Amino acid sequence: MVLVLSAAAGIVFGVASARASRGVGTLLASAPFLAWFVALAVVAAAGTTDSGMRALGLAMLGILLGLFAGQALVRRRRRSRRR
């Protein structure tokens, strides 16, 4: 479930960052990673457990896959419109 939710968030931020200008797009692409580091700090302060670290690892994987997929979708559409 964590992987699906983080991938969905990554796709949303990936599509938004690909459609935005360069500066805003960079901020939008880095926002999920900032949220992940905040979650890591909260989990580390509360004491790390195997299940908490596993969930954070899956969340990072989902964010990465979602960002790449979201940006690839927008860039493929842009290429097909140019022809």
Side-chain angles (χ1 to χ4, degrees):
M1 189 65 171
V2 171
L3 183 64
V4 172
L5 290 175
S6 60
I11 288 173
V12 168
F13 278 98
V15 169
S17 69
R19 291 183 182 267
S21 65
R22 178 176 254 170
V24 175
T26 302
L27 289 174
L28 286 171
S30 61
F33 296 110
L34 178 64
W36 184 84
F37 280 112
V38 168
L40 177 65
V42 168
V43 168
T48 57
T49 62
D50 288 342
S51 63
M53 296 308 284
R54 179 179 176 269
L56 282 173
L58 288 174
M60 179 57 86
L61 177 66
I63 289 169
L64 285 171
L65 292 174
L67 280 172
F68 288 137
Q71 289 183 356
L73 286 172
V74 171
R75 292 172 195 232
R76 185 174 7 161
R77 286 184 194 155
R78 284 185 185 167
R79 280 190 208 141
S80 64
R81 276 193 235 154
R82 289 181 190 166
R83 292 179 185 177

